[in-house]
Amino acid sequence: MPGVDHKAQLARLSAIDDHSARRVPVRTSKCLGICFQANVVVVQPSQEGRAAGGRPVWLGQMTEDKLLDAVDDWIFDGGPGIAPLPAVLEEHVTSKDAKKPKKNKKPKQSKAAKKERKKAKEKSAKKEKKARKKARKKETEALRSRTAPPGAPGKNKSDKAKGAGKGGKGGSGKDRTRKDESGKS
């Protein structure tokens, strides 16, 4: 478990004495098979506790000092089979057979629904592309109108109304120039 001082926890557990002032043996394991509930502590009953019907108690998510204090107090009072499990530890009881909780998966969609989402996504992408193109065109026109000298033919609405530019009544500027040079009207 990241962010937990595992060495300090192990030292704390190794320092636990039972009610007879005997050091409680501590064993470590790399994995008990339920690592998703780390840190896991298994409290074995004493001989007296086992004789009284106590069984090993698996505790998961033991990451706080207050939980280790509760384990210490419980073992001092006799542990499994002799003393009742402290209330603070009840929600941490687990087992070696604990199943990892499944992640909530999105419900499966039908093929038709997937196609519909894909179409909607493509349509949205087309709209965005069209809007970007329109914005670029507007930007270009605005830039031309700011930089063009007064009276110069351009692609603004006033030039089209006067007939200048391509497709106007007077034809292209080149055609008019040729007519003027030849002297023909």
Side-chain angles (χ1 to χ4, degrees):
M1 177 65 70
V4 176
D5 187 354
H6 298 283
K7 288 182 181 180
Q9 276 196 338
L10 186 58
R12 174 75 175 91
L13 290 169
S14 297
I16 295 176
D17 293 333
D18 65 10
H19 65 281
S20 303
R22 290 181 299 211
R23 186 71 42 162
V24 175
V26 174
R27 286 182 236 124
T28 60
S29 172
K30 290 191 185 241
C31 184
L32 295 172
I34 57 169
C35 298
F36 64 92
Q37 290 195 357
N39 289 342
V40 178
V41 174
V42 181
V43 180
Q44 298 282 347
S46 63
Q47 287 180 351
E48 298 85 25
R50 189 167 295 280
R55 297 287 169 251
V57 177
W58 289 57
L59 302 168
Q61 301 172 344
M62 300 291 290
T63 56
E64 299 174 38
D65 288 337
K66 70 177 184 177
L67 298 173
L68 296 180
D69 290 340
V71 169
D72 186 354
D73 293 343
W74 184 38
I75 291 173
F76 184 80
D77 292 341
I82 296 178
L85 181 71
V88 71
L89 297 177
E90 286 177 2
E91 63 186 48
H92 294 274
V93 173
T94 186
S95 74
K96 64 181 177 183
D97 300 322
K99 300 291 182 206
K100 186 173 185 178
K102 292 184 179 181
K103 292 181 181 177
N104 291 336
K105 292 184 180 180
K106 293 179 183 176
K108 291 188 178 183
Q109 299 287 331
S110 67
K111 287 183 180 182
K114 285 181 183 180
K115 277 185 178 180
E116 200 172 303
R117 282 195 313 274
K118 187 177 178 182
K119 275 186 179 181
K121 192 175 181 180
E122 287 172 356
K123 189 175 181 180
S124 175
K126 279 184 180 181
K127 276 187 177 182
E128 286 179 26
K129 186 176 179 181
K130 194 174 183 179
R132 284 194 305 268
K133 190 175 180 180
K134 191 175 183 179
R136 269 188 266 135
K137 186 176 180 181
K138 219 176 198 181
E139 234 178 70
T140 304
E141 286 177 5
L143 183 62
R144 282 184 185 163
S145 68
R146 285 191 299 234
T147 58
K155 289 189 173 185
N156 59 31
K157 291 179 183 177
S158 62
D159 288 342
K160 286 183 181 178
K162 294 177 188 174
K166 290 186 180 178
K169 290 182 181 176
S172 70
K174 291 180 182 178
D175 291 343
R176 275 189 297 200
T177 307
R178 276 194 217 134
K179 287 181 186 177
D180 291 341
E181 288 174 5
S182 65
K184 296 179 184 175
S185 8

